[in-house]
Amino acid sequence: MAIRRDPNTGLRIFVLLLLIIVLFFGGMVWFDYLGIINAREQIAFMYALINKEKAPKIEDKDNVFLLEQERYNKMKEALDIREEELNKKNGELDKRNIEMKQRIEILDEKEKALAERENSFNVRTLLYENKIANLEQSSRYLTGMPPVKAKDILLQMDDQDIIDILRVTERISQESGEASLVAYWLSLMPPERSASIKRKMTIKPNEFGA
């Protein structure tokens, strides 16, 4: 008895095989999404078997040069921050140096002014001492000569110079315990001149006298 073949059997088998392949690849995609398998590697392996070639290698994601570049970037960033801090500190040090220089200049100026004052005081003191010495010498010189001659010399001087000599003469007389010639010299002078000198001696403080 002859078996009759269904002409649609081949088509059904093809459809079933196609459905199995679709389900197979769909399942691989789903498992890959779930992280159960690596569908890319499996597909690459199958593709290599079909073409009888070695499956292509997937490049390593952990590239050494990328890591070195990242380290370099981190180091450069740290160095930049450090450089910025050093620049800031250097700026502060420069500012302090400027302030210190200004303070030193001020102190130098004050010291210079103080030295000038001291020198000026010393000069004035020396001039004063020299003046006192000269007045004392002039007083002794006038006291040692006849009163009339001494009076004539005094009248040739300014009133202030006469007053200075008279006061020094009075002080020397008091210190030595001798009689003073001041009153006698004034009595020998013209009345108007003598009165003017006495008035000025009363008004001006006693600078050289006792």
mmCIF file of all heavy atoms in Angstrom, residues 155-204:
data_model
loop_
_atom_site.group_PDB
_atom_site.id
_atom_site.type_symbol
_atom_site.label_atom_id
_atom_site.label_comp_id
_atom_site.label_asym_id
_atom_site.label_seq_id
_atom_site.Cartn_x
_atom_site.Cartn_y
_atom_site.Cartn_z
ATOM 1 N N LEU A 155 78.982 150.027 76.299
ATOM 2 C CA LEU A 155 78.077 150.883 75.529
ATOM 3 C C LEU A 155 78.185 150.645 74.016
ATOM 4 O O LEU A 155 77.293 151.040 73.260
ATOM 5 C CB LEU A 155 78.367 152.354 75.849
ATOM 6 C CG LEU A 155 77.951 152.824 77.256
ATOM 7 C CD1 LEU A 155 78.370 154.274 77.475
ATOM 8 C CD2 LEU A 155 76.446 152.681 77.422
ATOM 9 N N GLN A 156 79.278 150.018 73.585
ATOM 10 C CA GLN A 156 79.424 149.727 72.161
ATOM 11 C C GLN A 156 78.658 148.445 71.752
ATOM 12 O O GLN A 156 78.573 148.135 70.573
ATOM 13 C CB GLN A 156 80.911 149.560 71.828
ATOM 14 C CG GLN A 156 81.730 150.835 72.027
ATOM 15 C CD GLN A 156 83.202 150.621 71.757
ATOM 16 O OE1 GLN A 156 83.626 149.549 71.323
ATOM 17 N NE2 GLN A 156 84.015 151.645 72.017
ATOM 18 N N MET A 157 78.123 147.744 72.741
ATOM 19 C CA MET A 157 77.402 146.491 72.473
ATOM 20 C C MET A 157 75.895 146.735 72.377
ATOM 21 O O MET A 157 75.379 147.779 72.765
ATOM 22 C CB MET A 157 77.673 145.470 73.591
ATOM 23 C CG MET A 157 79.134 145.118 73.786
ATOM 24 S SD MET A 157 79.318 143.947 75.166
ATOM 25 C CE MET A 157 81.098 143.804 75.233
ATOM 26 N N ASP A 158 75.191 145.727 71.877
ATOM 27 C CA ASP A 158 73.719 145.752 71.878
ATOM 28 C C ASP A 158 73.222 145.566 73.301
ATOM 29 O O ASP A 158 73.938 145.041 74.173
ATOM 30 C CB ASP A 158 73.147 144.636 71.001
ATOM 31 C CG ASP A 158 73.513 144.846 69.522
ATOM 32 O OD1 ASP A 158 73.726 146.015 69.152
ATOM 33 O OD2 ASP A 158 73.574 143.844 68.775
ATOM 34 N N ASP A 159 71.984 145.980 73.538
ATOM 35 C CA ASP A 159 71.414 145.865 74.868
ATOM 36 C C ASP A 159 71.407 144.426 75.360
ATOM 37 O O ASP A 159 71.706 144.164 76.532
ATOM 38 C CB ASP A 159 69.989 146.423 74.890
ATOM 39 C CG ASP A 159 69.985 147.949 74.805
ATOM 40 O OD1 ASP A 159 71.085 148.543 74.865
ATOM 41 O OD2 ASP A 159 68.897 148.522 74.679
ATOM 42 N N GLN A 160 71.061 143.472 74.479
ATOM 43 C CA GLN A 160 70.975 142.070 74.901
ATOM 44 C C GLN A 160 72.339 141.531 75.296
ATOM 45 O O GLN A 160 72.462 140.795 76.269
ATOM 46 C CB GLN A 160 70.376 141.201 73.786
ATOM 47 C CG GLN A 160 70.120 139.758 74.185
ATOM 48 C CD GLN A 160 69.186 139.664 75.382
ATOM 49 O OE1 GLN A 160 68.115 140.250 75.394
ATOM 50 N NE2 GLN A 160 69.612 138.929 76.410
ATOM 51 N N ASP A 161 73.384 141.906 74.551
ATOM 52 C CA ASP A 161 74.735 141.452 74.906
ATOM 53 C C ASP A 161 75.164 142.045 76.243
ATOM 54 O O ASP A 161 75.802 141.365 77.071
ATOM 55 C CB ASP A 161 75.727 141.861 73.818
ATOM 56 C CG ASP A 161 75.485 141.106 72.516
ATOM 57 O OD1 ASP A 161 74.892 139.998 72.587
ATOM 58 O OD2 ASP A 161 75.880 141.589 71.445
ATOM 59 N N ILE A 162 74.814 143.332 76.474
ATOM 60 C CA ILE A 162 75.134 143.962 77.761
ATOM 61 C C ILE A 162 74.428 143.231 78.898
ATOM 62 O O ILE A 162 75.031 142.961 79.950
ATOM 63 C CB ILE A 162 74.735 145.456 77.738
ATOM 64 C CG1 ILE A 162 75.559 146.217 76.690
ATOM 65 C CG2 ILE A 162 74.909 146.082 79.129
ATOM 66 C CD1 ILE A 162 75.139 147.663 76.518
ATOM 67 N N ILE A 163 73.138 142.909 78.678
ATOM 68 C CA ILE A 163 72.350 142.222 79.712
ATOM 69 C C ILE A 163 72.969 140.867 80.042
ATOM 70 O O ILE A 163 73.079 140.487 81.219
ATOM 71 C CB ILE A 163 70.894 142.071 79.243
ATOM 72 C CG1 ILE A 163 70.211 143.454 79.177
ATOM 73 C CG2 ILE A 163 70.124 141.133 80.162
ATOM 74 C CD1 ILE A 163 68.838 143.421 78.532
ATOM 75 N N ASP A 164 73.392 140.125 79.005
ATOM 76 C CA ASP A 164 73.993 138.795 79.232
ATOM 77 C C ASP A 164 75.267 138.913 80.078
ATOM 78 O O ASP A 164 75.485 138.140 81.031
ATOM 79 C CB ASP A 164 74.304 138.126 77.890
ATOM 80 C CG ASP A 164 73.042 137.754 77.128
ATOM 81 O OD1 ASP A 164 71.967 137.662 77.761
ATOM 82 O OD2 ASP A 164 73.137 137.542 75.904
ATOM 83 N N ILE A 165 76.126 139.894 79.759
ATOM 84 C CA ILE A 165 77.374 140.064 80.507
ATOM 85 C C ILE A 165 77.100 140.502 81.947
ATOM 86 O O ILE A 165 77.743 140.030 82.904
ATOM 87 C CB ILE A 165 78.293 141.073 79.790
ATOM 88 C CG1 ILE A 165 78.798 140.473 78.474
ATOM 89 C CG2 ILE A 165 79.465 141.474 80.694
ATOM 90 C CD1 ILE A 165 79.657 141.420 77.667
ATOM 91 N N LEU A 166 76.133 141.395 82.122
ATOM 92 C CA LEU A 166 75.789 141.856 83.460
ATOM 93 C C LEU A 166 75.286 140.716 84.335
ATOM 94 O O LEU A 166 75.629 140.616 85.517
ATOM 95 C CB LEU A 166 74.749 142.968 83.385
ATOM 96 C CG LEU A 166 75.219 144.290 82.720
ATOM 97 C CD1 LEU A 166 74.083 145.303 82.703
ATOM 98 C CD2 LEU A 166 76.440 144.869 83.436
ATOM 99 N N ARG A 167 74.475 139.862 83.775
ATOM 100 C CA ARG A 167 73.920 138.739 84.553
ATOM 101 C C ARG A 167 75.016 137.728 84.909
ATOM 102 O O ARG A 167 75.062 137.216 86.024
ATOM 103 C CB ARG A 167 72.804 138.060 83.753
ATOM 104 C CG ARG A 167 71.507 138.860 83.789
ATOM 105 C CD ARG A 167 70.442 138.243 82.916
ATOM 106 N NE ARG A 167 69.161 138.943 83.119
ATOM 107 C CZ ARG A 167 68.118 138.785 82.323
ATOM 108 N NH1 ARG A 167 68.190 137.990 81.267
ATOM 109 N NH2 ARG A 167 66.997 139.424 82.574
ATOM 110 N N VAL A 168 75.897 137.450 83.956
ATOM 111 C CA VAL A 168 76.997 136.531 84.246
ATOM 112 C C VAL A 168 77.923 137.130 85.299
ATOM 113 O O VAL A 168 78.394 136.443 86.221
ATOM 114 C CB VAL A 168 77.775 136.197 82.946
ATOM 115 C CG1 VAL A 168 79.063 135.463 83.278
ATOM 116 C CG2 VAL A 168 76.911 135.357 82.020
ATOM 117 N N THR A 169 78.166 138.426 85.192
ATOM 118 C CA THR A 169 79.018 139.102 86.174
ATOM 119 C C THR A 169 78.401 139.032 87.564
ATOM 120 O O THR A 169 79.085 138.800 88.560
ATOM 121 C CB THR A 169 79.239 140.568 85.760
ATOM 122 O OG1 THR A 169 79.825 140.617 84.455
ATOM 123 C CG2 THR A 169 80.147 141.292 86.761
ATOM 124 N N GLU A 170 77.080 139.230 87.645
ATOM 125 C CA GLU A 170 76.373 139.156 88.916
ATOM 126 C C GLU A 170 76.471 137.754 89.510
ATOM 127 O O GLU A 170 76.698 137.586 90.709
ATOM 128 C CB GLU A 170 74.909 139.558 88.708
ATOM 129 C CG GLU A 170 74.123 139.702 89.990
ATOM 130 C CD GLU A 170 74.538 140.943 90.779
ATOM 131 O OE1 GLU A 170 75.033 141.912 90.159
ATOM 132 O OE2 GLU A 170 74.384 140.919 92.008
ATOM 133 N N ARG A 171 76.319 136.734 88.664
ATOM 134 C CA ARG A 171 76.394 135.349 89.159
ATOM 135 C C ARG A 171 77.788 135.026 89.666
ATOM 136 O O ARG A 171 77.945 134.404 90.727
ATOM 137 C CB ARG A 171 75.989 134.380 88.037
ATOM 138 C CG ARG A 171 76.129 132.918 88.427
ATOM 139 C CD ARG A 171 75.634 132.011 87.312
ATOM 140 N NE ARG A 171 76.388 132.198 86.086
ATOM 141 C CZ ARG A 171 77.603 131.687 85.838
ATOM 142 N NH1 ARG A 171 78.238 130.979 86.767
ATOM 143 N NH2 ARG A 171 78.194 131.883 84.677
ATOM 144 N N ILE A 172 78.815 135.427 88.917
ATOM 145 C CA ILE A 172 80.199 135.154 89.332
ATOM 146 C C ILE A 172 80.512 135.847 90.660
ATOM 147 O O ILE A 172 81.185 135.276 91.544
ATOM 148 C CB ILE A 172 81.188 135.596 88.239
ATOM 149 C CG1 ILE A 172 81.008 134.729 86.974
ATOM 150 C CG2 ILE A 172 82.629 135.523 88.745
ATOM 151 C CD1 ILE A 172 81.853 135.196 85.807
ATOM 152 N N SER A 173 80.004 137.045 90.820
ATOM 153 C CA SER A 173 80.251 137.793 92.069
ATOM 154 C C SER A 173 79.609 137.090 93.248
ATOM 155 O O SER A 173 80.198 136.992 94.335
ATOM 156 C CB SER A 173 79.704 139.225 91.947
ATOM 157 O OG SER A 173 80.375 139.934 90.919
ATOM 158 N N GLN A 174 78.377 136.585 93.052
ATOM 159 C CA GLN A 174 77.700 135.884 94.143
ATOM 160 C C GLN A 174 78.413 134.576 94.487
ATOM 161 O O GLN A 174 78.502 134.208 95.659
ATOM 162 C CB GLN A 174 76.241 135.606 93.764
ATOM 163 C CG GLN A 174 75.389 136.871 93.687
ATOM 164 C CD GLN A 174 73.961 136.578 93.269
ATOM 165 O OE1 GLN A 174 73.589 135.429 93.074
ATOM 166 N NE2 GLN A 174 73.153 137.637 93.156
ATOM 167 N N GLU A 175 78.886 133.872 93.451
ATOM 168 C CA GLU A 175 79.580 132.604 93.695
ATOM 169 C C GLU A 175 80.922 132.823 94.399
ATOM 170 O O GLU A 175 81.327 132.008 95.236
ATOM 171 C CB GLU A 175 79.795 131.862 92.368
ATOM 172 C CG GLU A 175 78.509 131.354 91.742
ATOM 173 C CD GLU A 175 78.741 130.727 90.367
ATOM 174 O OE1 GLU A 175 79.901 130.811 89.883
ATOM 175 O OE2 GLU A 175 77.790 130.181 89.786
ATOM 176 N N SER A 176 81.616 133.912 94.057
ATOM 177 C CA SER A 176 82.942 134.181 94.650
ATOM 178 C C SER A 176 82.857 134.974 95.963
ATOM 179 O O SER A 176 83.849 135.081 96.702
ATOM 180 C CB SER A 176 83.818 134.950 93.657
ATOM 181 O OG SER A 176 83.234 136.210 93.362
ATOM 182 N N GLY A 177 81.660 135.545 96.219
ATOM 183 C CA GLY A 177 81.494 136.332 97.447
ATOM 184 C C GLY A 177 82.087 137.714 97.354
ATOM 185 O O GLY A 177 82.274 138.390 98.382
ATOM 186 N N GLU A 178 82.392 138.167 96.164
ATOM 187 C CA GLU A 178 82.955 139.501 95.967
ATOM 188 C C GLU A 178 81.854 140.492 95.619
ATOM 189 O O GLU A 178 80.763 140.117 95.192
ATOM 190 C CB GLU A 178 84.011 139.469 94.859
ATOM 191 C CG GLU A 178 85.203 138.566 95.178
ATOM 192 C CD GLU A 178 86.184 138.500 94.025
ATOM 193 O OE1 GLU A 178 85.866 139.088 92.956
ATOM 194 O OE2 GLU A 178 87.241 137.871 94.178
ATOM 195 N N ALA A 179 82.160 141.764 95.756
ATOM 196 C CA ALA A 179 81.195 142.813 95.431
ATOM 197 C C ALA A 179 81.016 142.908 93.931
ATOM 198 O O ALA A 179 81.976 142.810 93.156
ATOM 199 C CB ALA A 179 81.671 144.154 95.995
ATOM 200 N N SER A 180 79.766 143.094 93.476
ATOM 201 C CA SER A 180 79.457 143.163 92.054
ATOM 202 C C SER A 180 79.616 144.588 91.543
ATOM 203 O O SER A 180 79.277 145.561 92.238
ATOM 204 C CB SER A 180 78.018 142.687 91.818
ATOM 205 O OG SER A 180 77.666 142.871 90.475
ATOM 206 N N LEU A 181 80.127 144.685 90.319
ATOM 207 C CA LEU A 181 80.298 145.987 89.676
ATOM 208 C C LEU A 181 79.142 146.348 88.755
ATOM 209 O O LEU A 181 79.184 147.384 88.068
ATOM 210 C CB LEU A 181 81.605 145.982 88.873
ATOM 211 C CG LEU A 181 82.904 145.863 89.688
ATOM 212 C CD1 LEU A 181 84.100 145.778 88.742
ATOM 213 C CD2 LEU A 181 83.060 147.043 90.627
ATOM 214 N N VAL A 182 78.110 145.510 88.714
ATOM 215 C CA VAL A 182 77.002 145.722 87.781
ATOM 216 C C VAL A 182 76.312 147.059 88.051
ATOM 217 O O VAL A 182 76.076 147.855 87.134
ATOM 218 C CB VAL A 182 75.993 144.565 87.867
ATOM 219 C CG1 VAL A 182 74.740 144.861 87.055
ATOM 220 C CG2 VAL A 182 76.633 143.263 87.395
ATOM 221 N N ALA A 183 75.969 147.297 89.293
ATOM 222 C CA ALA A 183 75.261 148.541 89.616
ATOM 223 C C ALA A 183 76.130 149.755 89.312
ATOM 224 O O ALA A 183 75.629 150.794 88.841
ATOM 225 C CB ALA A 183 74.846 148.528 91.088
ATOM 226 N N TYR A 184 77.420 149.641 89.568
ATOM 227 C CA TYR A 184 78.326 150.775 89.301
ATOM 228 C C TYR A 184 78.451 151.030 87.801
ATOM 229 O O TYR A 184 78.460 152.174 87.363
ATOM 230 C CB TYR A 184 79.683 150.506 89.928
ATOM 231 C CG TYR A 184 80.628 151.673 89.853
ATOM 232 C CD1 TYR A 184 80.252 152.929 90.356
ATOM 233 C CD2 TYR A 184 81.895 151.549 89.291
ATOM 234 C CE1 TYR A 184 81.116 154.011 90.290
ATOM 235 C CE2 TYR A 184 82.755 152.629 89.216
ATOM 236 C CZ TYR A 184 82.357 153.858 89.713
ATOM 237 O OH TYR A 184 83.208 154.958 89.655
ATOM 238 N N TRP A 185 78.540 149.942 86.991
ATOM 239 C CA TRP A 185 78.614 150.125 85.529
ATOM 240 C C TRP A 185 77.354 150.825 85.018
ATOM 241 O O TRP A 185 77.433 151.719 84.164
ATOM 242 C CB TRP A 185 78.762 148.755 84.843
ATOM 243 C CG TRP A 185 80.145 148.159 84.998
ATOM 244 C CD1 TRP A 185 81.273 148.804 85.345
ATOM 245 C CD2 TRP A 185 80.492 146.784 84.804
ATOM 246 N NE1 TRP A 185 82.338 147.956 85.387
ATOM 247 C CE2 TRP A 185 81.897 146.680 85.049
ATOM 248 C CE3 TRP A 185 79.815 145.634 84.456
ATOM 249 C CZ2 TRP A 185 82.600 145.476 84.961
ATOM 250 C CZ3 TRP A 185 80.512 144.443 84.360
ATOM 251 C CH2 TRP A 185 81.875 144.358 84.617
ATOM 252 N N LEU A 186 76.195 150.418 85.528
ATOM 253 C CA LEU A 186 74.934 151.030 85.079
ATOM 254 C C LEU A 186 74.866 152.508 85.474
ATOM 255 O O LEU A 186 74.306 153.336 84.733
ATOM 256 C CB LEU A 186 73.741 150.276 85.678
ATOM 257 C CG LEU A 186 73.496 148.862 85.109
ATOM 258 C CD1 LEU A 186 72.409 148.156 85.905
ATOM 259 C CD2 LEU A 186 73.121 148.928 83.629
ATOM 260 N N SER A 187 75.449 152.832 86.645
ATOM 261 C CA SER A 187 75.400 154.233 87.081
ATOM 262 C C SER A 187 76.292 155.121 86.223
ATOM 263 O O SER A 187 76.045 156.335 86.106
ATOM 264 C CB SER A 187 75.821 154.334 88.563
ATOM 265 O OG SER A 187 77.197 153.960 88.712
ATOM 266 N N LEU A 188 77.313 154.539 85.609
ATOM 267 C CA LEU A 188 78.206 155.321 84.748
ATOM 268 C C LEU A 188 77.631 155.539 83.346
ATOM 269 O O LEU A 188 78.109 156.431 82.624
ATOM 270 C CB LEU A 188 79.571 154.627 84.645
ATOM 271 C CG LEU A 188 80.385 154.521 85.945
ATOM 272 C CD1 LEU A 188 81.672 153.725 85.694
ATOM 273 C CD2 LEU A 188 80.726 155.912 86.484
ATOM 274 N N MET A 189 76.621 154.758 82.988
ATOM 275 C CA MET A 189 76.028 154.874 81.650
ATOM 276 C C MET A 189 75.054 156.036 81.595
ATOM 277 O O MET A 189 74.584 156.512 82.644
ATOM 278 C CB MET A 189 75.285 153.577 81.299
ATOM 279 C CG MET A 189 76.173 152.363 81.160
ATOM 280 S SD MET A 189 75.191 150.885 80.721
ATOM 281 C CE MET A 189 76.453 149.642 80.762
ATOM 282 N N PRO A 190 74.758 156.523 80.378
ATOM 283 C CA PRO A 190 73.735 157.561 80.242
ATOM 284 C C PRO A 190 72.422 157.088 80.848
ATOM 285 O O PRO A 190 72.076 155.908 80.756
ATOM 286 C CB PRO A 190 73.612 157.747 78.728
ATOM 287 C CG PRO A 190 74.934 157.308 78.191
ATOM 288 C CD PRO A 190 75.386 156.193 79.100
ATOM 289 N N PRO A 191 71.680 157.970 81.510
ATOM 290 C CA PRO A 191 70.460 157.566 82.221
ATOM 291 C C PRO A 191 69.455 156.814 81.339
ATOM 292 O O PRO A 191 68.867 155.816 81.766
ATOM 293 C CB PRO A 191 69.891 158.901 82.708
ATOM 294 C CG PRO A 191 71.074 159.804 82.811
ATOM 295 C CD PRO A 191 71.999 159.405 81.694
ATOM 296 N N GLU A 192 69.223 157.292 80.120
ATOM 297 C CA GLU A 192 68.235 156.655 79.238
ATOM 298 C C GLU A 192 68.654 155.229 78.883
ATOM 299 O O GLU A 192 67.843 154.289 78.909
ATOM 300 C CB GLU A 192 68.055 157.484 77.967
ATOM 301 C CG GLU A 192 67.428 158.839 78.235
ATOM 302 C CD GLU A 192 67.205 159.618 76.941
ATOM 303 O OE1 GLU A 192 67.583 159.092 75.860
ATOM 304 O OE2 GLU A 192 66.684 160.729 77.015
ATOM 305 N N ARG A 193 69.941 155.078 78.564
ATOM 306 C CA ARG A 193 70.441 153.740 78.196
ATOM 307 C C ARG A 193 70.408 152.817 79.401
ATOM 308 O O ARG A 193 70.025 151.655 79.307
ATOM 309 C CB ARG A 193 71.868 153.854 77.652
ATOM 310 C CG ARG A 193 72.463 152.538 77.127
ATOM 311 C CD ARG A 193 71.886 152.233 75.757
ATOM 312 N NE ARG A 193 72.362 150.965 75.233
ATOM 313 C CZ ARG A 193 73.502 150.805 74.533
ATOM 314 N NH1 ARG A 193 74.279 151.860 74.288
ATOM 315 N NH2 ARG A 193 73.810 149.622 74.076
ATOM 316 N N SER A 194 70.795 153.334 80.531
ATOM 317 C CA SER A 194 70.789 152.536 81.750
ATOM 318 C C SER A 194 69.372 152.097 82.120
ATOM 319 O O SER A 194 69.126 150.944 82.492
ATOM 320 C CB SER A 194 71.401 153.341 82.894
ATOM 321 O OG SER A 194 71.330 152.620 84.111
ATOM 322 N N ALA A 195 68.391 153.018 81.968
ATOM 323 C CA ALA A 195 66.995 152.694 82.290
ATOM 324 C C ALA A 195 66.451 151.631 81.345
ATOM 325 O O ALA A 195 65.719 150.713 81.751
ATOM 326 C CB ALA A 195 66.148 153.958 82.226
ATOM 327 N N SER A 196 66.793 151.728 80.058
ATOM 328 C CA SER A 196 66.331 150.742 79.069
ATOM 329 C C SER A 196 66.876 149.349 79.384
ATOM 330 O O SER A 196 66.153 148.342 79.303
ATOM 331 C CB SER A 196 66.769 151.189 77.672
ATOM 332 O OG SER A 196 66.433 150.202 76.714
ATOM 333 N N ILE A 197 68.151 149.303 79.762
ATOM 334 C CA ILE A 197 68.770 148.008 80.080
ATOM 335 C C ILE A 197 68.128 147.400 81.325
ATOM 336 O O ILE A 197 67.818 146.195 81.368
ATOM 337 C CB ILE A 197 70.289 148.175 80.256
ATOM 338 C CG1 ILE A 197 70.934 148.540 78.911
ATOM 339 C CG2 ILE A 197 70.908 146.899 80.818
ATOM 340 C CD1 ILE A 197 72.402 148.895 79.009
ATOM 341 N N LYS A 198 67.884 148.233 82.347
ATOM 342 C CA LYS A 198 67.258 147.729 83.564
ATOM 343 C C LYS A 198 65.852 147.198 83.291
ATOM 344 O O LYS A 198 65.443 146.174 83.847
ATOM 345 C CB LYS A 198 67.210 148.844 84.621
ATOM 346 C CG LYS A 198 68.573 149.237 85.183
ATOM 347 C CD LYS A 198 68.419 150.375 86.188
ATOM 348 C CE LYS A 198 69.785 150.785 86.757
ATOM 349 N NZ LYS A 198 69.667 151.931 87.707
ATOM 350 N N ARG A 199 65.093 147.947 82.461
ATOM 351 C CA ARG A 199 63.727 147.510 82.132
ATOM 352 C C ARG A 199 63.737 146.169 81.416
ATOM 353 O O ARG A 199 62.940 145.273 81.722
ATOM 354 C CB ARG A 199 63.055 148.583 81.282
ATOM 355 C CG ARG A 199 61.579 148.245 80.974
ATOM 356 C CD ARG A 199 60.900 149.363 80.224
ATOM 357 N NE ARG A 199 61.503 149.558 78.896
ATOM 358 C CZ ARG A 199 62.310 150.568 78.584
ATOM 359 N NH1 ARG A 199 62.648 151.469 79.505
ATOM 360 N NH2 ARG A 199 62.817 150.689 77.375
ATOM 361 N N LYS A 200 64.641 145.975 80.458
ATOM 362 C CA LYS A 200 64.725 144.716 79.715
ATOM 363 C C LYS A 200 65.172 143.569 80.620
ATOM 364 O O LYS A 200 64.709 142.436 80.462
ATOM 365 C CB LYS A 200 65.700 144.872 78.545
ATOM 366 C CG LYS A 200 65.163 145.779 77.449
ATOM 367 C CD LYS A 200 66.180 145.919 76.315
ATOM 368 C CE LYS A 200 65.643 146.844 75.233
ATOM 369 N NZ LYS A 200 66.605 147.029 74.116
ATOM 370 N N MET A 201 66.058 143.845 81.560
ATOM 371 C CA MET A 201 66.502 142.811 82.487
ATOM 372 C C MET A 201 65.348 142.346 83.377
ATOM 373 O O MET A 201 65.272 141.179 83.783
ATOM 374 C CB MET A 201 67.660 143.318 83.352
ATOM 375 C CG MET A 201 68.958 143.503 82.589
ATOM 376 S SD MET A 201 70.310 144.114 83.630
ATOM 377 C CE MET A 201 70.587 142.685 84.670
ATOM 378 N N THR A 202 64.426 143.266 83.662
ATOM 379 C CA THR A 202 63.273 142.919 84.501
ATOM 380 C C THR A 202 62.251 142.100 83.725
ATOM 381 O O THR A 202 61.657 141.152 84.256
ATOM 382 C CB THR A 202 62.601 144.210 85.030
ATOM 383 O OG1 THR A 202 63.562 144.998 85.729
ATOM 384 C CG2 THR A 202 61.438 143.875 85.941
ATOM 385 N N ILE A 203 62.065 142.457 82.450
ATOM 386 C CA ILE A 203 61.052 141.776 81.625
ATOM 387 C C ILE A 203 61.525 140.391 81.209
ATOM 388 O O ILE A 203 60.812 139.388 81.349
ATOM 389 C CB ILE A 203 60.724 142.621 80.381
ATOM 390 C CG1 ILE A 203 60.076 143.938 80.795
ATOM 391 C CG2 ILE A 203 59.811 141.833 79.446
ATOM 392 C CD1 ILE A 203 59.861 144.886 79.645
ATOM 393 N N LYS A 204 62.747 140.273 80.709
ATOM 394 C CA LYS A 204 63.246 138.988 80.197
ATOM 395 C C LYS A 204 63.698 138.101 81.317
ATOM 396 O O LYS A 204 64.339 138.559 82.264
ATOM 397 C CB LYS A 204 64.423 139.242 79.249
ATOM 398 C CG LYS A 204 64.886 137.982 78.538
ATOM 399 C CD LYS A 204 65.936 138.292 77.505
ATOM 400 C CE LYS A 204 66.373 136.995 76.820
ATOM 401 N NZ LYS A 204 67.411 137.233 75.800
#
